[in-house]
Amino acid sequence: MLNDVILAAKGLTKQFKGFVAVNEVDLQVGRGSIHALIGPNGAGKTTCFNLLTKFLQPTRGTITYNGRDITRMQPADIARLGMVRSFQISAVFPHLTALENVRIALQRQRGDSFDFWRSERVLSGFDGRALALLDEVGLAGFATTPAGALSYGRKRALEIATTLALDPEMLLLDEPMAGMGHEDVDRIAGVIQRIAQNRTVLMVEHNLSVVARLAGRITVLARGKVLAEGDYATVSKNPDVIDAYIGAGHG
């Protein structure tokens, strides 16, 4: 039992037309931790992640965030509570600069979704915070670069910066290393380490070397159930985990 749990699931279950994708999952994420959700292909990681971030409703079970039942809440509502998801596919405005992308996210957080047409003087009021967020994700030197001209890894870093503009207490990352080469993986791993210094991070990730480097606690799913949990040294030596990965051809 973790002393200070920020996100918890109990008996989390999701059925699709009789197929049980997530089966009685119990999960506890400690405040201030980096927690990874891993497992072979078909393990139910994505479904579980979608349940936790409220993009799917569970068949049964409960989810609490900061002690509050969020089981039936919508994604926008939990975002306002401070739990924000960053998507697997990069979502930035390619023709706007990195700075402008973060500025738009900051405007949204303030509630002014449609003030693109405000004067430059008003918009430049966001620049200080936007530049600080770019610096936090290692993009200080790319403020004036159009997002579309950034490398894939830097686009993902920019996407994380726009997510941080919502000032989340907890960040949920869906395969942040997907499609990246070694250099970008190292860059984004460094970004995640930096942003986790004063936030909680839960991530679904296939890259086990990244999980070993970043995650203090790991939950392993297989066939929709929790197979093992603990630090990397513990779960990587677990015979059931080894069997599950080998049996699924690893994913």
Side-chain angles (χ1 to χ4, degrees):
M1 176 71 182
L2 299 168
N3 290 332
D4 192 6
V5 175
I6 186 169
L7 178 68
K10 188 153 184 61
L12 201 59
T13 300
K14 183 64 178 179
Q15 288 178 269
F16 296 100
K17 296 180 180 174
F19 169 68
V20 184
V22 172
N23 192 354
E24 297 290 334
V25 165
D26 291 345
L27 178 72
Q28 294 187 333
V29 180
R31 191 181 311 278
S33 69
I34 300 179
H35 193 125
L37 197 57
I38 70 169
N41 281 335
K45 301 183 300 294
T46 300
T47 303
C48 189
F49 195 79
N50 285 335
L51 291 169
L52 293 170
T53 53
K54 308 310 306 134
F55 284 79
L56 282 175
Q57 287 293 353
T59 305
R60 61 181 176 275
T62 57
I63 305 164
T64 55
Y65 174 70
N66 272 330
R68 179 173 180 170
D69 190 331
I70 62 165
T71 311
R72 298 294 161 194
M73 282 191 179
Q74 296 301 309
D77 296 326
I78 63 164
R80 280 190 280 273
L81 293 177
M83 181 173 141
V84 178
R85 171 180 180 163
S86 182
F87 284 88
Q88 185 175 345
I89 295 171
S90 187
V92 295
F93 297 103
H95 302 299
L96 297 180
T97 66
L99 180 70
E100 288 166 339
N101 268 280
V102 180
R103 211 159 65 170
I104 285 170
L106 287 165
Q107 288 169 240
R108 277 191 192 144
Q109 198 241 352
R110 205 187 62 180
D112 297 333
S113 303
F114 301 105
D115 56 1
F116 293 92
W117 300 277
R118 282 176 176 266
S119 73
E120 186 60 31
R121 182 184 59 77
V122 172
L123 290 177
S124 65
F126 293 106
D127 284 358
R129 177 73 181 130
L131 287 166
L133 287 170
L134 287 174
D135 187 43
E136 191 171 359
V137 300
L139 291 177
F142 296 87
T144 59
T145 304
L150 294 172
S151 71
Y152 181 70
R154 288 196 172 102
K155 278 195 187 84
R156 299 305 300 270
L158 177 58
E159 186 202 34
I160 291 172
T162 63
T163 305
L164 294 178
L166 298 172
D167 201 20
E169 183 181 7
M170 181 169 186
L171 197 60
L172 298 108
L173 303 175
D174 186 10
E175 293 190 30
M177 310 299 172
M180 287 186 190
H182 287 303
E183 186 184 330
D184 280 337
V185 165
D186 285 344
R187 178 180 293 120
I188 296 301
V191 167
I192 292 169
Q193 278 179 316
R194 277 200 301 280
I195 65 175
Q197 285 171 11
N198 56 354
R199 300 176 186 88
T200 305
V201 174
L202 174 66
M203 63 179 187
V204 170
E205 184 50 60
H206 273 292
N207 188 322
L208 294 183
S209 65
V210 167
V211 170
R213 173 178 165 185
L214 293 180
R217 194 162 184 85
I218 297 159
T219 300
V220 185
L221 293 183
R223 299 183 190 87
K225 292 187 172 185
V226 174
L227 187 63
E229 193 167 273
D231 61 16
Y232 187 79
T234 303
V235 301
S236 64
K237 293 189 186 86
N238 185 309
D240 294 336
V241 173
I242 296 165
D243 286 349
Y245 269 92
I246 293 169
H250 183 57

